[in-house]
Amino acid sequence: MKKLASLAWLTLLLNISVAQDGGYWQQQVDYRIEVTLDDKTNSLDAFEQITYTNHSPDTLRFIWFHCWPNAYKNDRTAFSDQLLENGNTRFYFAKPEQRGYINRLDFRVDGHTARTEDHPQYIDIIKLILPEPLPPGGRIQISTPFHVKLPFNFSRGGYAGSSFQVTQWYPKPAVYDRTGWHPMPYLDQGEFYSEFGRFDVRITVPANYVVAATGELQDTAEKVWLAGRRTFHWTPVVRRVRLKGGGTKRIRQDYPTSAAQTKTLRFLQEGVHDFSWFADKRYIVDIDTCRLPSGRTVQVYSFYTPGQADLWKNSTRYAKEAIRFYSGQVGEYPFATVSVVQGPESFGGGMEYPTITVISPVSHARQLEQLIVHEVGHNWFYSLLATDERTHAWMDEGINSFFEQKYFGEKYQDTLQPESLLLQTKAVTRTDQPIELPSDRFSPSNYELVVYYKTAAWMHWLQSVTGEKGFQEGIRQYFTRWQFRHPGPADFRMVMERAAGRNLDSVFTWLDKPGLLPSGRPRGSATGLVFQPTHLDRLVRGAGSPYRELVTLSPLIGYNAYDRWMVGGLVTNYKLPPSAFQWLLAPLYATGSSGLAGLGKLSYTWYPSGAFRKATLLLNGSRFADDRFTDSAGHTTFLHFFKVVPGLRLTLRETDPRSTRYRFLQFKTYVLGEDNLQFGRDTLISGADTLVRNTYRTTRKQTVLNQFRLVWENNRALYPYQAELQLEQSRDFIRAAVTGHYFFNYADQGGLGLRLFAGKFMYLGGRTPAREFRTDRYHLNMTGANGSEDYTYSDYFLGRNQFDGLPSQQIMMRDGGFKIRTDLLSEKVGKTDDWLVSANFTSTLPGKLNPFGWLPGQGPLRLFADIGTYAGAWSKDAGTDHFLYDAGFQVSLLKETVNIYLPLFYSRVYRDYVKTVLPSRGRIWHTISFSMDLARFSLRKIDRNLSL
């Protein structure tokens, strides 16, 4: 009687709502499903019977169906494409047994065979053609068997070992509402929209599985068994198995053996739009009750593994506190149960379903509480207020995040919101997006920051405008009016305006605008992110300014072979969000050269409209010692360089915010001053004696180099690439170079990196011996370039002009990019003042060849190979082969910023150099080289979205 009464209440509520809203209607879909789990094949065999009631004013001749397990069928689905766009290649390279699908469908409508048609674009949507039209008010019975091969849990559902997360698993009619049909493919970023109805589901599993599911369990014996799981314990078993060859092998058993017997469990739930279930043989089960102010009691369950028992011991308490909080703030929880389930690590985070949520393993209790509160809160903003989440994600995730923040603010007085800094940064750099957008149009970072955090901030602003009382009344009316229905933005606005008694256009129009909300502009406190130990706040725009500037102070040390240890400080206004004018100063005292060294950076950035997204004027400068000379008297003279570099960078605009492209134009002028030694002789005549003395003095050489770069890169997850055109001009020459990078992903992670280079050197005014001598360091070079060839002083070198010891083995990736060095020759191998082309290959080590036990594609060990040719190799009197090569091992650290190379195979000309020039003792050590590519380091190596 209780369930019948509940159904009657729901029907009455819907009828009242229809009358109140002048023709609002929604379809009703009731399900009866019988499903059996085969945990050996990770598959389901099931039969589904649907009662479809047409409450619309239209006659239906077909029904779109979601068959979402087919999203995992191959790597050409919308799901797979989106994962790649978001930087995730796990599913694309999944093994065949990790894929999933649904098949063996045989639809019948009222007992008559019905045909289906494929969706023209999406493999996981089909159209069911009705044998007879379904008129308004009509009802039909739809049935079909189906078989599901569960995928590995790449996204919300599937299997991980013998743990099963059965979500979005059955053929489900798409929503037909006031705006028409809503057939949508399964996506990882972007949730769901489904019709309300009644679920009667029977689940058959091996008898020792614990099953958690949407709705109320109907089996008394199973309830008793679950109550005894509070003290269950399981430890993985490791045993040794003898092999045929006589050896042994260690086998780890992570799950209890499945029972030979099976059991069938029945779950019932009315007034929901989805059904999910979870099965694991290791679950501990906590059971508690939550009494609501009305006197109703809710049964609270939590299911978790022994490995997480310490962290989950308070999970039912977190769920109860969330239920009471949301019931008090929004409206009373109407269902009889709520369940919290621990899922696998593979999908990460948490995911909500009606009356149940799944949460991946966590590292601390506060994180678990936050996830439980957020996911339980979705019973209001998703399960009961069932917005089209794919189109209006903010009404689900964002409004729920507002109440989650309110919960923690009241309980813990939480005020720290690191998302605020990131959102302000996105807004200031004009890379954010409006709140009111479909889920799949957001960039991944904006989906997290805008949909969740900015919407919550917008809700805080709405509350400040309407007042606490009006806001609270509006939320309660919204819940009462629209629970068990599909509200949209206009419905939410109408209710809030009625409660507030005023027009809220000034607030709701901000849903369609990017940028900071009026309430989100920081006032009265610093908004910068402190990276260093100490800081100083000061106003930069006068009293009452809405923005504050953060000045950061920090001690700093440095080192090179000439300045030796350098000590000093760093002072900067770099912060988040960034100021338009940014500066950094790092003055240092050099203990070796006994003088001042250091660097500085100034920049001013603005964000124009049109072709360029960002424009930056910059001015950089630095001064360090780069050589030293000790005369016969033991006196040491240090030689320094300084540079001043003005420039302009123009970053091109990408029309699609989800684009992974990054393109810019850059102009720089390098004004360089370099100390040199000038040697001479003084003749002294004293009486009959004539004395000749060697002398030297320091002179300063000044050079101006103009540089233009055009960079085009695509940081996509699959086959990323970069292309760069660089033109350089100085008094005597023009140097042109094109460099391309391409990465071929391997299926088992890692991949092959390809670098292509082509360069041309041209004299201005013709080639002369004097020009050849003056431009020597700028000539194209095949072999490893040393510090003296870093003519823009952009790379960090331990010792720029060292010819022995570790500093002498440092190279830079320039021109030909070979890893072997020939510095001790008067003319380096592969050096030319004409043209040069090369190809450089770097590959991660396949797992079977990896001696250190890393997973395939992981670890620092690489293989490298270089091949190239140059003008001199094709001259008549060339002493080298047309094509040169080297190959060996590479160790890459810090996202390939630091690389160590061991050449093992190389061309004859290099072998001759190694045998005749390098000392026989420690010869292998002397062929090792390393690079530190700090000048080209980009935050996009860490996160491809960091292109501010």
Side-chain angles (χ1 to χ4, degrees), residues 466-485:
T466 61
E468 180 69 32
K469 184 177 179 181
F471 180 83
Q472 191 68 36
E473 181 64 24
I475 291 295
R476 289 184 174 279
Q477 288 182 18
Y478 176 57
F479 177 76
T480 301
R481 188 182 189 88
W482 287 100
Q483 62 179 318
F484 300 106
R485 303 167 73 195

Side-chain angles (χ1 to χ4, degrees), residues 508-583:
F508 275 83
T509 55
W510 277 90
L511 293 172
D512 300 306
K513 299 177 182 179
L516 290 177
L517 300 170
S519 65
R521 302 184 185 279
R523 293 181 180 273
S525 62
T527 61
L529 185 63
V530 180
F531 290 103
Q532 303 296 343
T534 59
H535 65 277
L536 171 67
D537 298 334
R538 62 181 178 85
L539 290 173
V540 295
R541 290 189 176 90
S545 168
Y547 294 96
R548 292 175 67 91
E549 184 69 15
L550 182 68
V551 176
T552 302
L553 303 174
S554 174
L556 186 67
I557 61 172
Y559 178 85
N560 67 47
Y562 315 109
D563 289 313
R564 298 295 182 180
W565 287 105
M566 294 171 282
V567 295
L570 179 147
V571 55
T572 180
N573 75 335
Y574 278 51
K575 66 181 181 66
L576 295 180
S579 303
F581 177 63
Q582 293 183 299
W583 50 268

